[in-house]
Amino acid sequence: MILRVVHAAVPPEKRPAYVDFITNKLAPAVRKMPGCHFLYVGECVEKQHEHEVIYLSGWDTEEQCEALEKTSIYQGAAGMAKTFYTHRYHDGALHIHYKTIAALS
């Protein structure tokens, strides 16, 4: 399994619209992609980092994970997501793919 981890930051004043966007547009579109097992989005609870968010999704293969980024649905959603990010992430959120080496189910 491939884990896709994305890190970004959303200003507090944009949080309600961002949560609506993630819940009603981005997450449902990603979950429908072939090979996607799960998608979690969380916000940091540590002081001075409350505006930071992380996305974690699990995929059968790296090819399926990468295929996500080439779809028009994702490109449109990713473009929209950038409008919520702080200046640090206006050019795009940091995302990294990891190969799973241990898992509990």
Side-chain angles (χ1 to χ4, degrees):
M1 178 175 287
I2 297 296
L3 299 177
R4 183 174 192 268
V5 180
V6 179
H7 180 256
V10 177
E13 65 274 10
K14 292 185 177 183
R15 187 186 178 283
Y18 171 78
V19 170
D20 180 65
F21 168 75
I22 290 297
T23 303
N24 296 309
K25 293 196 174 48
L26 183 63
V30 172
R31 277 297 289 131
K32 290 178 184 175
M33 293 294 300
C36 183
H37 286 268
F38 61 84
L39 171 69
Y40 296 103
V41 181
E43 58 188 354
C44 190
V45 296
E46 292 187 30
K47 299 291 183 213
Q48 308 301 318
H49 296 276
E50 295 91 346
H51 62 288
E52 294 179 19
V53 294
I54 191 167
Y55 307 72
L56 178 65
S57 55
W59 298 83
D60 284 330
T61 66
E62 188 169 6
E63 292 77 24
Q64 288 171 318
C65 183
E66 289 174 354
L68 161 73
E69 297 173 13
K70 296 175 184 162
T71 65
S72 61
I73 293 171
Y74 178 80
Q75 289 177 1
M80 180 65 179
K82 289 179 187 179
T83 67
F84 294 105
Y85 298 154
T86 62
H87 68 282
R88 180 177 173 196
Y89 293 99
H90 279 177
D91 290 331
L94 171 68
H95 71 274
I96 304 169
H97 300 165
Y98 294 89
K99 180 178 178 182
T100 304
I101 58 172
L104 298 173
S105 55

